[in-house]
Amino acid sequence: MEYDGPVQVNRGLETEAIISEVETNGYAIVENVIPRETCDAVLAKVDFLMGSLAIPFGQNAFLGRHTRRIFNLLARDRLFESVPTHRELLGVVEGLLDPECLLSSLTAIEMQPGQARQPLHADDGSYGFSRPAPTQIVVALWALTDFTNENGGTHVVPGSHRFDRRPGREDHPETVQVEMPAGSVVFYSGSLWHGGGENRSDARRVGLVNNYCAGYLRQEESQLLALSQDRVAAFTPRLRKLVGYGTYRGLLGHVDQRNPESLVDPEAETDMIWGRIGK
Ligand SMILES: O=C(O)CCC(=O)C(=O)O
C-alpha cells in the first residue's frame, strides 16, 4: 500500500489561532467540531464496551472511585480508528508537535455523579525532562456529553504549562473550568496543570482523551504492544505511523534498518536515514 504521507496541516486561520492559543494559555476550547452522529456513535460504542468488558471504577483518587476508563481503545473496535486521525484536529496537534508525532494513548473516561475532583497534575509528570520545555505532549479531549461546571468539566490553570515545576498537593491555584457542549474538543499542552472536576450533577460526563507525544518520546500506553500486527495492517498508513509503525527522522523506531511499517505491509515505502546520507 502506498504511504499517503503526513496529514497536511490546515494552515488556515482557525488552526493557527488554536495553535497560538494553546501555546499562549496552555489550552484552547473548540466548540462543535465533531458531528453529532459521530459523537453519538462513539458514545454508544463506549457504553457497549463499558458493559461487555465489565469496566470497573477507579481504585484511587486519581483514577476516580466513581469513574470508569477504557484504555487501549484502538484494540477494542474499528470505530475508533477515525478518532485520532480526525483531519482538522490532527492538524492542530501536528502544528504543535510535528507531523512525526505519535498517539500516546486513546482512552474513554466516564465520570459518574458523586465523583470527587481529581488532583491537579500535568501529563508530562512521568517524563524526565525539566520544565519549562517545548511542547512535547498534546491532548485533544473530546466531549461526548456536555462538559459543565456541575458535572465535572476539566479544571485548568491558564499559563501553567510554562511553570518551572509540576503541581504538588500543597498547590491550590485558581482554575478555570472547561465548559463545552458535546461534540467539542479542548486541546491542552501536556505540561498544563489540570484535573477532572467534581461531578455534583445527576448526569454522567463522558470524554475521549486523545493523548499525543513527540515522535522521540515513549508512548504512555505502548501502542506497539497493545495492538496486534493484524490490527495495524488494517489501519490507514496515517494511523499506522501515528501508533508507531514509522520512524522519527528516518531513524528512531527502525527495525533492521527498515521502516517498521514493512512488518505489516511489504510494499510500504522505506525512506530511511541511511538512504538519505550522501545523496
Ligand atoms: O477527565 C478530565 O477532565 C481530565 C482527566 C485527566 O486529566 C486524567 O485522567 O489524566
Side-chain angles (χ1 to χ4, degrees):
M1 187 185 277
E2 216 170 291
Y3 173 52
D4 61 358
V7 167
Q8 288 303 305
V9 176
N10 169 9
R11 288 286 167 195
L13 253 190
E14 213 181 324
T15 302
E16 283 303 331
I18 298 164
I19 290 170
S20 151
E21 211 171 310
V22 176
E23 281 170 344
T24 306
N25 299 326
Y27 73 103
I29 299 168
V30 186
E31 292 198 346
N32 304 314
V33 270
I34 315 295
R36 172 58 76 176
E37 317 81 73
T38 308
C39 218
D40 290 348
V42 173
L43 186 56
K45 188 59 73 179
V46 166
D47 282 342
F48 170 78
L49 291 171
M50 286 284 180
S52 62
L53 299 171
I55 299 293
F57 288 118
Q59 301 298 306
N60 57 41
F62 186 86
L63 292 174
R65 298 183 199 281
H66 293 266
T67 294
R68 299 190 293 176
R69 285 161 206 261
I70 312 176
F71 295 94
N72 198 17
L73 283 177
L74 286 175
R76 313 291 189 187
D77 196 283
R78 296 206 59 181
L79 179 76
F80 297 107
E81 290 173 24
S82 60
V83 173
T85 50
H86 183 294
R87 266 188 115 70
E88 284 175 42
L89 304 180
L90 190 55
V92 172
V93 174
E94 290 182 343
L96 285 159
L97 299 171
D98 70 33
E100 296 195 318
C101 63
L102 294 170
L103 180 72
S104 187
S105 60
L106 180 62
T107 311
I109 300 184
E110 180 207 59
M111 190 192 276
Q112 294 194 0
Q115 174 57 54
R117 189 170 155 181
Q118 186 185 38
L120 282 178
H121 60 281
D123 290 347
D124 66 10
S126 297
Y127 291 93
F129 54 81
S130 59
R131 298 170 47 126
T135 310
Q136 297 176 82
I137 300 158
V138 173
V139 172
L141 168 52
W142 290 26
L144 298 181
T145 60
D146 293 348
F147 275 38
T148 66
N149 285 348
E150 287 68 39
N151 75 8
T154 314
H155 287 264
V156 298
V157 181
S160 56
H161 60 309
R162 279 180 271 127
F163 291 178
D164 62 4
R165 62 182 183 83
R166 300 171 176 101
R169 283 175 198 277
E170 68 287 1
D171 289 304
H172 304 286
E174 247 184 68
T175 62
V176 169
Q177 245 185 301
V178 172
E179 290 200 276
M180 54 184 178
S184 305
V185 173
V186 58
F187 290 95
Y188 53 89
S189 154
S191 295
L192 187 76
W193 294 19
H194 71 282
E198 176 186 4
N199 189 345
R200 301 184 304 274
S201 75
D202 54 9
R204 64 192 183 141
R205 196 220 72 179
V206 186
L208 208 55
V209 180
N210 292 261
N211 190 319
Y212 303 85
C213 65
Y216 50 83
L217 288 182
R218 185 168 187 180
Q219 289 146 296
E220 195 169 297
E221 179 161 19
S222 173
Q223 304 295 311
L224 294 174
L225 296 173
L227 302 166
S228 70
Q229 289 192 359
D230 283 348
R231 193 82 174 165
V232 175
F235 288 176
T236 62
R238 181 69 193 104
L239 185 58
R240 290 178 188 163
K241 190 168 165 63
L242 207 49
V243 297
Y245 280 73
T247 61
Y248 188 74
R249 299 195 176 172
L251 176 63
L252 304 184
H254 79 86
V255 175
D256 209 3
Q257 287 193 298
R258 292 179 63 77
N259 179 347
E261 192 184 2
S262 59
L263 295 171
V264 294
D265 180 0
E267 285 167 35
E269 206 179 287
T270 97
D271 172 26
M272 306 299 291
I273 196 164
W274 300 281
R276 297 178 198 168
I277 294 169
K279 273 192 181 169

